[in-house]
Amino acid sequence: VTDSEVEEMPPYYQGVNVFESSRAGSLLSTFSTTSFSNEPTGIAIDVLNQRMFISDDNQDRVYEIHKGPDGFYGTSDDIRTYINTREYNIYDPEDVAFGAGYLIIAGGETTLNIERKVDHGKIATIPRSYEQPPTGRRYAKTGDIAKRCVQS
């Protein structure tokens, strides 16, 4: 779980903004992204390849974090890179999901929900059909991206 606003509330901020919990809800670990992101708006894990994706809607980036030799996220030995979502016309990336080798980046204001295939660090666009609802936002017309991701 990420909290993109907690550092803005001094009475509640305890120096961390990422929280790992068990399925039963017990807190397992925490860390902070403030050295590279004050707005961690979404998080997804690629368990197979031991990497984490964190979206940042201020910087228009999705960070890709690989666990370092210590086997923990959020430590100094992690390897961190990022995807500039503006290169894909995604501004204000609000969330990410990952499954079956696909990174899904959910854009905010007037952007598309885009599905990207991540393969050995390369990203390929997966074409989708879109429709324009009256609200001005665009959503995938065919396929349930979130459901497919969760099922993988």
Side-chain angles (χ1 to χ4, degrees):
V1 175
T2 59
D3 189 333
S4 62
E5 306 296 333
V6 69
E7 83 285 349
E8 298 172 13
M9 300 178 289
Y12 305 108
Y13 183 55
Q14 299 296 310
V16 296
N17 58 3
V18 179
F19 309 87
E20 179 186 8
S21 68
S22 69
R23 289 180 187 241
S26 299
L27 184 63
L28 299 176
S29 66
T30 62
F31 70 90
S32 175
T33 65
T34 56
S35 66
F36 62 93
S37 171
N38 283 330
E39 287 287 318
T41 55
I43 189 168
I45 306 289
D46 172 5
V47 178
L48 182 65
N49 294 302
Q50 305 254 333
R51 60 187 172 171
M52 173 185 292
F53 298 95
I54 297 178
S55 57
D56 181 309
D57 68 346
N58 277 355
Q59 298 180 64
D60 294 330
R61 292 180 175 176
V62 173
Y63 288 92
E64 181 177 342
I65 304 167
H66 291 261
K67 287 182 181 179
D70 70 3
F72 296 99
Y73 289 115
T75 58
S76 62
D77 66 344
D78 291 350
I79 299 166
R80 185 177 64 242
T81 59
Y82 68 87
I83 299 162
N84 179 349
T85 63
R86 292 175 189 170
E87 292 177 15
Y88 301 96
N89 294 318
I90 301 172
Y91 296 86
D92 191 28
E94 293 293 337
D95 207 351
V96 289
F98 187 87
Y102 291 92
L103 174 63
I104 297 95
I105 303 169
E109 301 173 17
T110 66
T111 61
L112 300 173
N113 291 332
I114 302 291
E115 187 171 333
R116 303 285 184 209
K117 174 73 173 168
V118 179
D119 185 22
H120 297 83
K122 296 180 181 177
I123 301 175
T125 301
I126 307 300
R128 294 284 173 225
S129 297
Y130 293 95
E131 66 183 9
Q132 184 71 36
T135 63
R137 291 192 182 222
R138 292 179 154 187
Y139 300 94
K141 184 176 182 181
T142 58
D144 184 347
I145 295 171
K147 183 177 178 184
R148 199 174 38 224
C149 181
V150 171
Q151 290 176 338
S152 63

